[in-house]
Structure formats: structure tokens, C-alpha cells
């Protein structure tokens, strides 16, 4: 019997297109020194980017570019292999020292991405702690969910940011069993922030450790940009802080920080770390320069926060359905995958504004949205233009100005 593999592949894509959630990647070319402007290889014109996770525009900062250029000229392009073989270059060691200092922990471990870091760390933790139970917020990132599943240990899902439900689950469990509470600080699709201090209270009460994903918060919050835990004065109470170098810090990579013994255990046992080529020296040097700069400078954070407030007010006053948020992320509710894609296309084709549609499985069905992330480089004129464009597009597509809070899928 002959199996027609190509037909299976094609049918899977047709299903996505029929549901209105087929993903199209816009071919863009960011312009260093003039971001958020970028050249669109789709339209051939210059567009204004409103959905970048380079939250502070650090990807084009002179200090970062200089550090990377100097390092690649001096040390070459690649890392030379895994950390175990020949990839433990001094730039990555120095970066880990900076990250430990940033989060005021004993040690840090750098991996290739935030996704890999979550998956590798949570799966290894669950396997290394005998009879462990993991408690996971229902809105946790896919990388955390996959890591928890791969740990093969017992898991409980608590309602999003619901500390009362979390305590119910903790109270019902055997006090003698190891426990991990895994959650995020800033949830990137809704833009809300978790009650870190209250979750730490429960961890201490029920003898659990905490695993905090700060990927959308590092660089953005706190006096030195260490995240929401620093801003809230609870960083020392969190057992493990996980972060990324690929958002506010403008490069790529992921990391964890914690006690020296914990970091050494993950370094020694996690396959996702052991068998992966290390980040190149230039990326590590760029990340180090970016972190050091944002530990000293609050200018970028202050300007970004100002722009977020100004744009939120503009959109709200214009009747654009901005979802409730307490962070730097402004989700605009659409509620339909086809309309969401059409709105994104119209913004790009009619106004040279790039905002990517966010559909299932990134968000629950029926909560499709445009996710807007103002950064310090957006001007007042750009914000006015975006607001007018959204009003025009929503009117023509019949999208109602309905502000909704999401529910779990």
C-alpha cells in the first residue's frame, strides 16, 4: 500500500486556512537606527512596526551593536560546540555572572532560548525531585506546559492568578512531597501581572519552591530592570527566576538563576542544555552590554511606560476595544480569527502599519486579538496614526468596541 504523505501535509494546512488561523510571516527588514520603521518585502514600502517584542528598542542600541561587532571581529562567529565540548567561552561565563548579579542569586545558566530554558529546567526539576508535584497557572506559556508534561510527575492546574484556588490544591496535597509552583510575572497575551508576593507566601507556608518566568518583564520593571519581582521587592523570595535575552534585551537566548546547587544540577542533568550548541560569543557580549546598560539607565523604561499610557488613553478615548492590562502590552480585542487577519492585512496594506494577528492556539478561541507593544521609539504622530487607522479598519469590518477579559480555553 502506498501512503500519500504530501496529501496529508496539504490537508493539515487546508484545515488551518478553513479555520482562519493559518499563519503568514511578514517578510520585514528592520532598519538599525530608525526602528520602529522597517522595510516590508511584502509591500515594498516602509512600515511602522507595532508588535515587536524588542520592547525597548535595544536591538539597535549603539552599545549592543558595538559589543557584538567587536567580539565577532576578535573571536569569530560560532561558539565551537556544546558547553561540554568547546562552547564554554569567556563571554558566556561573563554573561552568567552578570545575570546572577542582576537577580541577586548565587548562579545563572544560559541556554539557547527562553523556550528551551523552560522546557529543559521544568522537565529536569520534576524528574530529579522524587514524587514531585507541580502546580501550574492555567495561562502558562507552551514551553512551561511542555516542560511540566515531560517531567512525568503529578501536576495540578490552578485558575489564572487565583491564589485561593492554588492554596486549595496545595492544602489537599501530602505535606511531605516536594512541590513546585510554576507561574509567570507578565502574561504576554493579556498583559496582566501575577501576585508574586502572595504566591511566595503560599510556597513558604506549604514548603514549595517557586519557578517564575519573567521573560516579558526582564529589562522592563524594577530599578535595574530585573523584572516584576524586583519591582515588588520579592526577588529574594523566588527560588528560580527564568528570563530571556530575546525581548527587552534585544538579542536572543534564555537563562535561569538560582542557588549554586540548583544551577549545577540543571547544568549536569538537563538534556536540553547538555546536547545543544552554546550561544556564540558575540550574542553573549551583546546581551551583557544590554543588561549592563539597562541596570544603570531607566530612560528607556520611563519613555516606554509613558508611551504605553498615552497610547492606551488614545485608543480608549477613540472607542478601540483595548483589553484590561496592567503592563506594557496593549491587546485589542477582535474575537474572530478571520476578522483579526483581515484587520491586520488592512492595517498593513492601507496604512503601512504592521500588527500581527494573534489567534488560537496562542490565545483561546473566540479571544483573537491584535497585540500592540509601544516602545520608546514610537512618536506621538505614530500613535495618532495608529489610532485613526484602527478606528477606520474596525468600522469597515464591523468590529464592535467590546472590551473583554479572557477565559481559559
Amino acid at each position: 500500500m502506498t501512503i500519500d504523505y504530501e496529501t496529508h501535509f496539504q490537508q493539515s494546512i487546508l484545515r488551518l486556512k478553513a479555520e482562519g488561523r493559518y499563519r503568514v510571516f511578514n517578510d520585514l527588514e528592520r532598519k538599525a537606527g530608525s526602528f520602529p520603521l522597517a522595510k516590508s518585502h511584502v509591500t515594498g514600502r516602509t512600515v511602522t512596526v507595532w508588535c515587536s517584542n524588542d520592547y525597548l528598542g535595544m536591538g539597535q542600541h549603539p552599545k549592543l551593536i558595538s559589543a557584538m561587532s567587536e567580539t565577532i571581529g576578535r573571536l569569530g562567529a560560532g561558539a565551537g560546540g556544546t558547553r561540554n565540548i568547546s562552547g564554554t567561552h569567556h563571554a558566556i561565563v561573563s554573561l552568567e555572572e552578570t545575570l546572577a548579579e542582576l537577580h541577586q542569586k548565587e548562579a545563572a545558566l544560559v541556554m539557547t532560548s527562553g523556550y528551551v530554558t523552560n522546557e529543559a529546567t521544568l522537565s529536569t526539576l520534576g524528574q530529579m525531585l522524587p514524587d514531585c508535584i507541580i502546580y501550574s497557572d492555567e495561562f502558562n506559556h507552551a514551553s512551561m506546559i511542555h516542560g511540566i508534561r515531560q517531567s512525568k510527575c503529578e501536576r495540578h492546574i490552578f485558575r489564572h492568578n487565583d491564589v485561593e484556588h492554588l492554596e486549595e490544591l496545595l492544602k489537599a496535597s501530602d505535606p511531605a512531597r516536594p512541590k513546585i509552583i510554576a507561574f509567570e510575572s507578565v502574561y504576554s497575551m493579556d498583559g496582566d501581572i501575577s501576585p508574586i508576593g502572595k504566591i511566595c507566601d503560599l510556597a513558604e507556608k506549604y514548603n514549595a519552591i517557586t519557578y517564575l518566568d519573567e521573560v516579558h518583564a526582564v529589562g522592563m520593571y524594577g530599578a535595574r530592570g530585573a523584572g516584576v519581582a524586583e519591582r515588588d521587592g520579592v526577588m529574594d523570595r523566588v527560588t528560580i527566576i527564568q528570563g530571556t535575552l530575546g525581548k527587552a534585551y534585544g538579542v536572543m537566548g534564555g537563562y535561569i538563576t538560582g542557588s549554586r546547587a540548583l544551577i549545577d544540577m540543571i547544568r549536569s542533568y538537563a538534556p536540553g542544555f547538555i546536547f545543544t550548541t552554546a550561544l556564540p560569543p558575540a550574542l553573549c557580549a551583546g546581551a551583557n552590554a544590554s543588561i549592563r546598560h539597562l541596570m544603570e539607565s531607566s530612560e528607556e523604561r520611563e519613555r516606554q511606560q509613558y508611551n504605553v499610557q498615552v497610547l492606551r488613553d488614545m485608543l480608549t478615548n477613540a472607542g478601540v476595544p483595548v483589553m484590561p492590562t496592567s503592563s506594557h502590552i496593549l491587546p485589542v480585542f477582535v474575537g474572530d480569527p478571520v476578522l483579526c487577519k483581515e484587520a491586520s492585512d488592512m492595517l498593513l496594506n492601507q496604512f503601512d502599519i504592521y500588527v500581527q494577528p494573534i489567534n488560537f492556539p496562542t490565545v483561546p478561541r473566540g479571544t483573537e486579538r491584535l497585540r500592540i507593544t509601544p516602545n520608546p521609539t514610537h512618536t506621538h504622530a505614530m500613535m495618532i496614526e495608529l489610532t485613526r487607522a484602527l478606528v477606520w479598519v474596525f468600522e469597515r469590518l464591523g468590529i464592535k468596541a467590546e472590551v473583554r477579559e479572557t477565559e481559559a480555553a
Side-chain angles (χ1 to χ4, degrees), residues 14-54:
L14 287 174
R15 286 196 298 271
L16 287 178
K17 290 182 175 179
E19 295 174 18
R21 58 188 186 93
Y22 177 70
R23 296 170 187 250
V24 177
F25 298 156
N26 283 293
D27 187 354
L28 299 175
E29 187 175 309
R30 301 205 307 171
K31 299 181 179 181
S34 60
F35 189 69
L37 300 181
K39 178 183 178 181
S40 169
H41 287 273
V42 178
T43 66
R45 302 188 299 269
T46 297
V47 301
T48 304
V49 178
W50 279 101
C51 54
S52 174
N53 282 351
D54 186 359

Side-chain angles (χ1 to χ4, degrees), residues 95-108 257:
L95 174 58
E96 288 172 343
E97 291 172 352
T98 294
L99 289 165
E101 178 186 343
L102 173 70
H103 293 290
Q104 297 177 8
K105 300 295 184 186
E106 292 179 352
T257 63

Side-chain angles (χ1 to χ4, degrees), residues 48-360:
T48 304
V49 178
W50 279 101
C51 54
S52 174
N53 282 351
D54 186 359
Y55 293 132
L56 300 177
M58 288 302 294
Q60 64 174 0
H61 196 282
K63 288 184 180 179
L64 187 151
I65 292 174
S66 175
M68 293 186 70
S69 299
E70 187 276 332
T71 303
I72 202 168
R74 183 166 50 89
L75 301 180
T82 66
R83 295 283 294 273
N84 185 54
I85 295 175
S86 57
T88 300
H89 47 77
H90 184 66
I92 206 167
V93 173
S94 178
L95 174 58
E96 288 172 343
E97 291 172 352
T98 294
L99 289 165
E101 178 186 343
L102 173 70
H103 293 290
Q104 297 177 8
K105 300 295 184 186
E106 292 179 352
L109 189 67
V110 169
M111 301 192 202
T112 51
S113 72
Y115 190 105
V116 169
T117 305
N118 273 335
E119 194 172 50
T121 305
L122 284 167
S123 63
T124 303
L125 275 174
Q127 291 169 15
M128 297 305 296
L129 292 171
D131 207 20
C132 180
I133 307 172
I134 300 181
Y135 305 83
S136 174
D137 187 288
E138 66 177 336
F139 281 4
N140 276 344
H141 190 265
S143 58
M144 300 176 75
I145 294 169
H146 292 167
I148 292 167
R149 286 174 178 167
Q150 287 177 17
S151 73
K152 296 182 172 60
C153 62
E154 182 181 335
R155 59 184 183 272
H156 297 283
I157 313 301
F158 61 92
R159 291 187 293 270
H160 179 52
N161 281 347
D162 189 335
V163 292
E164 292 181 359
H165 186 218
L166 174 58
E167 182 162 23
E168 289 175 15
L169 296 172
L170 288 164
K171 189 181 296 184
S173 301
D174 183 349
R177 295 179 64 182
K179 301 172 184 67
I180 304 168
I181 304 173
F183 63 109
E184 302 179 35
S185 57
V186 176
Y187 287 84
S188 63
M189 292 300 127
D190 289 353
D192 56 343
I193 294 176
S194 65
I196 301 174
K198 292 180 180 179
I199 291 175
C200 288
D201 290 342
L202 292 179
E204 291 160 8
K205 181 177 180 180
Y206 292 96
N207 196 24
I209 64 173
T210 46
Y211 183 96
L212 175 62
D213 177 315
E214 287 253 44
V215 297
H216 292 277
V218 289
M220 304 293 294
Y221 299 92
R224 302 173 308 126
V228 176
E230 181 187 45
R231 183 199 70 178
D232 293 353
V234 294
M235 192 162 60
D236 61 315
R237 300 176 64 194
V238 179
T239 314
I240 307 163
I241 294 177
Q242 183 265 355
T244 184
L245 308 170
K247 293 181 171 61
Y249 292 129
V251 196
M252 71 168 290
Y255 65 88
I256 51 169
T257 63
S259 71
R260 188 166 284 104
L262 183 145
I263 296 299
D264 198 19
M265 186 270 288
I266 299 298
R267 181 191 72 85
S268 302
Y269 283 94
F273 169 77
I274 295 170
F275 299 105
T276 301
T277 297
L279 286 181
L283 283 175
C284 296
N288 211 341
S290 182
I291 296 165
R292 287 290 176 189
H293 174 77
L294 291 173
M295 286 173 72
E296 299 294 331
S297 172
S298 61
E299 179 183 348
E300 292 82 3
R301 285 188 287 274
E302 291 171 358
R303 180 66 190 177
Q304 194 267 349
Q305 291 164 9
Y306 173 80
N307 281 353
V308 168
Q309 187 58 55
V310 170
L311 182 60
R312 180 189 285 115
D313 292 344
M314 281 186 184
L315 296 176
T316 302
N317 292 337
V320 176
V322 181
M323 297 168 63
T325 172
S326 53
S327 72
H328 57 284
I329 296 164
L330 301 180
V332 174
F333 185 82
V334 176
D336 179 273
V338 175
L339 288 178
C340 198
K341 179 65 167 63
E342 288 182 2
S344 174
D345 289 345
M346 290 175 72
L347 287 168
L348 182 64
N349 295 325
Q350 300 293 326
F351 298 95
D352 294 325
I353 288 172
Y354 173 54
V355 184
Q356 184 76 350
I358 307 295
N359 295 332
F360 179 84

